[in-house]
Amino acid sequence: MTAKPKPRQPLSRERIVDTAIALVDAEGLDALTMRRLGAELGMDPMAVYYYLPNKAALLDAVVEAVMAEIDLGVDDPSAPAEERLIRAAKAYAEVLVRHRNAMPLLLVRGPATPAALAPVEVMVAILRSGGVPPEHAVAGMHVLTAAVRGYAAIIANEMADPGNRDAEALVALASPDQFPYLSEAAAQPRQDTQAAFEFGLRAIAIGLLGSRDADQDSGSTDGMRVDPA
């Protein structure tokens, strides 16, 4: 007896976005074309436009879905601001590593929907609760998220090339006479990437939260205004 074909799943915005993310995760951003997306959905590509009017809307939806995976529940308002920042940053990093092929998209297309802005709001709120003034809170958020993206890029590179050994390369290239401190650092045992990331995060968090005291000591209320991405 011939098996009956499986019923086709109904098309929806959620299914389109989930399929787009799966395609990017598997093959990279270049694979995400409307024609290819239609093929993965088993639909005419034009059907996608009923839910998302153009490619830009699709890309915004992908950014929104990736940002929505950040676990905002890790934040504990009763914890010190320093620990809250580190937890929030780790939650962001976890999602970026999981969707590392989408990272370039998040760099060029910032959050453009309310849902995508929710994690940004949490991080800015933590900075404000830690005493960072409004004019510096968004800039501080950008500094922290830049560090997270850099870490995620390092992890992605290590996953793509497990044999990559930057430390060994430095030992070979750094002359102790010309670069004594770099040579000294490169000769140390290779540090776990996660441990290095946590060290950097804590240093940034301490610096950002300490900036409030510097402002108070200087009596300055001027700050660089940075608009959210």
Side-chain angles (χ1 to χ4, degrees):
M1 179 182 295
T2 303
K4 293 182 179 180
K6 294 182 180 179
R8 179 181 293 181
Q9 288 182 276
L11 195 60
S12 66
R13 185 181 186 279
E14 181 180 9
R15 185 182 165 214
I16 291 170
V17 176
D18 287 347
T19 302
I21 292 175
L23 185 57
V24 171
D25 285 345
E27 301 183 31
L29 280 168
D30 290 343
L32 183 57
T33 65
M34 301 305 271
R35 183 182 296 276
R36 179 64 188 283
L37 182 58
E40 292 293 318
L41 291 164
M43 301 281 185
D44 186 318
M46 296 303 294
V48 173
Y49 291 110
Y50 178 81
Y51 298 91
L52 296 159
N54 48 47
K55 180 71 175 290
L58 172 64
L59 296 178
D60 284 342
V62 169
V63 171
E64 176 184 82
V66 171
M67 295 291 286
E69 288 189 28
I70 299 173
D71 183 7
L72 303 183
V74 300
D75 184 37
D76 177 6
S78 66
E82 180 182 323
E83 297 303 324
R84 293 176 67 192
L85 281 176
I86 292 171
R87 291 176 191 174
K90 285 183 177 180
Y92 182 32
E94 182 180 326
V95 171
L96 286 184
V97 171
R98 185 159 63 239
H99 297 295
R100 53 193 174 276
N101 285 343
M103 253 195 294
L105 180 61
L106 272 72
L107 288 174
V108 299
R109 300 183 76 87
T113 64
L117 280 171
V120 180
E121 170 71 8
V122 168
M123 195 166 285
V124 173
I126 294 172
L127 287 165
R128 290 290 293 117
S129 74
V132 177
E135 66 268 23
H136 293 161
V138 172
M141 177 274 298
H142 283 310
V143 169
L144 195 56
T145 55
V148 172
R149 288 166 175 168
Y151 159 77
I154 290 172
I155 293 297
N157 184 58
E158 289 183 349
M159 295 176 76
D161 182 12
N164 186 16
R165 291 292 184 267
D166 291 338
E168 284 83 343
L170 283 174
V171 170
L173 292 174
S175 163
D177 294 332
Q178 188 176 7
F179 305 105
Y181 295 107
L182 185 58
S183 179
E184 177 189 47
Q188 302 306 307
R190 182 177 173 86
Q191 189 175 25
D192 176 75
T193 304
Q194 178 71 19
F197 176 52
E198 291 191 20
F199 169 80
L201 281 182
R202 192 167 298 279
I204 293 171
I206 291 171
L208 289 173
L209 295 170
S211 67
R212 61 191 172 185
D213 300 324
D215 283 344
Q216 291 170 357
D217 291 343
S218 66
S220 172
T221 58
D222 295 331
M224 181 177 65
R225 183 182 181 87
V226 180
D227 294 327

